[in-house]
Every structure is written in C-alpha cells, then in structure tokens.
Amino acid sequence: MKYLFLLLPILLNSWSFTEQDYQNLTPEQRYNIDISYLVGQEKDLGLTLASIALVETRATVANDSNSNAVCGVHQIHTDHVDIPCYAIESNVYLSAMLARDNFLFWYNGPANKSWRKALIMYNGGYHFNPHGNEYVRRITMVFKVLKEHYDY
C-alpha cells in the first residue's frame, strides 16, 4: 500500500502528448481536430476545443462505449442536452458545437472568465473534481503542441 502512494504521482503524470504523437495522428483524428478547431475558432476557442477532443478521446469516437450519458469526441453529457448519444457520436460538428457551448457556459458564468476554471468545470461540473488540475495540465500540454505544429 505504501508503494501505491509513491507510484500515484508517476501514474497521474504519465499521460503525455508530444510532437511525435501529433505527427502520428490518423486521418480521422486530424479531421476531428480540424472540425473542433473550426467550430471553436468562431469564438476564439479553436485550439481549446481541439485540445479537449485530444484529451477526452484522442479525437476518436469510441463506438463501443457502454455509456449513454457521455458521448462523442468531446465527451458530451447527454443529461445536459436533449440529444441522443448516437447523434453526437455520429456527428463531430455537433459534438464540437455542444462542447463549445458547454465551455462558454462555464467560462462566462461560474468560472468568471477564467480559462483554467472553465476547463475544470467542463470536466467536472459544479462538483469538486480532484483531477481538475491534471485535466488542465493535459489540455495545456496538448494546446502547446498544437499551437506549435497545427496548420491552422
């Protein structure tokens, strides 16, 4: 048990996204990032939405999901929208629009225009999220790689 506590910080920080990961993206992943970027860019959130897609699902739609509550490339909670999961998973544009609106809800409201707080709330809602800082770290890591290498 003592060793588990020693390994926990290593395991939490083992997630990464590098230039090599970016270079190895599949055409499907690049398409999903492009759509996310274009939808987000309408509100100056292009790299943010693309980063969310990569952190949430590696910009891939998992059709074998056992959840009907969290769906699509951006992991949209269907209990907050009146749209069935299959519609979100089959339409990355819809997923990106819902993600953008969700992020802006948190950003313009409870997060008081804090990008960092809005990301934590996007990931965990109003409830305390013990993984919020790790989520922001991952988004920031991806954001930096995209800012340097993404052809937008």
Side-chain angles (χ1 to χ4, degrees), residues 2 4 6-7 10 13 17 21 37-38 49 56 61 65 78 94 100 104 120 127 130 142 150:
K2 176 171 75 172
L4 179 62
L6 295 173
L7 286 174
I10 295 169
N13 290 320
F17 187 81
D21 294 318
Y37 179 83
L38 291 172
L49 282 190
E56 290 286 352
V61 177
S65 173
T78 57
L94 176 61
R100 180 195 62 203
L104 287 172
I120 291 171
H127 307 292
V142 172
Y150 182 67

Side-chain angles (χ1 to χ4, degrees), residues 92-103:
V92 69
Y93 182 77
L94 176 61
S95 178
M97 287 190 322
L98 293 169
R100 180 195 62 203
D101 293 348
N102 187 3
F103 180 85

Side-chain angles (χ1 to χ4, degrees), residues 8-101:
L8 192 57
I10 295 169
L11 293 174
L12 284 177
N13 290 320
S14 66
W15 194 96
S16 69
F17 187 81
T18 64
E19 177 185 353
Q20 187 63 44
D21 294 318
Y22 176 75
Q23 300 301 331
N24 291 335
L25 292 174
T26 67
E28 176 196 8
Q29 289 171 304
R30 287 184 184 270
Y31 174 81
N32 291 339
I33 291 168
D34 289 344
I35 297 298
S36 299
Y37 179 83
L38 291 172
V39 169
Q41 194 54 30
E42 295 172 5
K43 301 288 184 176
D44 199 26
L45 294 170
L47 291 176
T48 299
L49 282 190
S51 298
I52 288 171
L54 281 162
V55 169
E56 290 286 352
T57 61
R58 289 289 184 167
T60 313
V61 177
N63 293 326
D64 59 349
S65 173
N66 292 330
S67 172
N68 284 327
V70 182
C71 309
V73 171
H74 302 89
Q75 295 294 275
I76 303 300
H77 289 263
T78 57
D79 54 345
H80 299 143
V81 296
D82 192 25
I83 300 172
C85 194
Y86 68 85
I88 297 168
E89 288 191 346
S90 64
N91 187 336
V92 69
Y93 182 77
L94 176 61
S95 178
M97 287 190 322
L98 293 169
R100 180 195 62 203
D101 293 348

Side-chain angles (χ1 to χ4, degrees), residues 99-132:
R100 180 195 62 203
D101 293 348
N102 187 3
F103 180 85
L104 287 172
F105 167 79
W106 296 115
Y107 180 79
N108 291 320
N112 199 24
K113 302 218 183 269
S114 165
W115 185 78
R116 184 182 181 290
K117 287 180 184 176
L119 285 171
I120 291 171
M121 293 175 144
Y122 177 91
N123 184 249
Y126 285 106
H127 307 292
F128 172 73
N129 180 358
H131 305 292

